[in-house]
């Protein structure tokens, strides 16, 4: 029964996250968003790669946690489940995060965080 309650909490949390992300998307669709504001919004999603405070670092941490559990649960400890999860976490920070940083620098080369 505990896992059902846990799954219910995960579903509820994802619903809240989806609503929050929809609000951000609505703000991005505003007619008056300029390059500097877009860069500031994107910075909030990523922050600095070394600071685990943005959306991508938080997602990477979540996927890494799942990967560590998968390592323990894999019957043969062969990495069939954990390796793809570790790779997904790395892609979130190394690939997606870096590309987001490039876009931010292009939109706001001054890097003003205001």
């Amino acid at each position: 029964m505990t896992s059902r309650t846990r799954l219910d909490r995960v579903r509820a949390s994802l619903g809240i996250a989806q609503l929050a992300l929809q609000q951000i998307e609505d703000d991005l669709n505003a007619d008056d968003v300029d390059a500097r504001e877009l860069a500031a919004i994107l910075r909030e999603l990523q922050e600095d790669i070394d600071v685990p405070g943005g959306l991508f670092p938080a997602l990477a941490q979540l996927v890494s946690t799942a990967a560590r559990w998968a390592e323990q649960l894999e019957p043969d400890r062969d990495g069939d489940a954990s390796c793809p999860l570790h790779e997904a976490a790395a892609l979130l920070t190394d690939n997606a995060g870096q590309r987001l940083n490039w876009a931010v620098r292009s939109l706001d080369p001054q890097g003003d965080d205001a």
Side-chain angles (χ1 to χ4, degrees), residues 20 54 69 101 106 108-109:
W69 271 108
N101 286 337
S106 176
D108 186 14

Side-chain angles (χ1 to χ4, degrees), residues 36 43 104-105 107-113:
R36 180 176 257 175
R43 270 189 211 95
V104 166
R105 282 193 295 253
L107 291 165
D108 186 14
Q110 311 304 308
D112 185 57
D113 289 323

Side-chain angles (χ1 to χ4, degrees), residues 47-69:
E47 294 187 2
D48 189 302
I49 284 179
D50 297 327
V51 179
L55 176 64
F56 288 129
L59 287 173
Q61 181 178 344
L62 186 145
V63 173
S64 291
T65 300
R68 286 191 299 277
W69 271 108

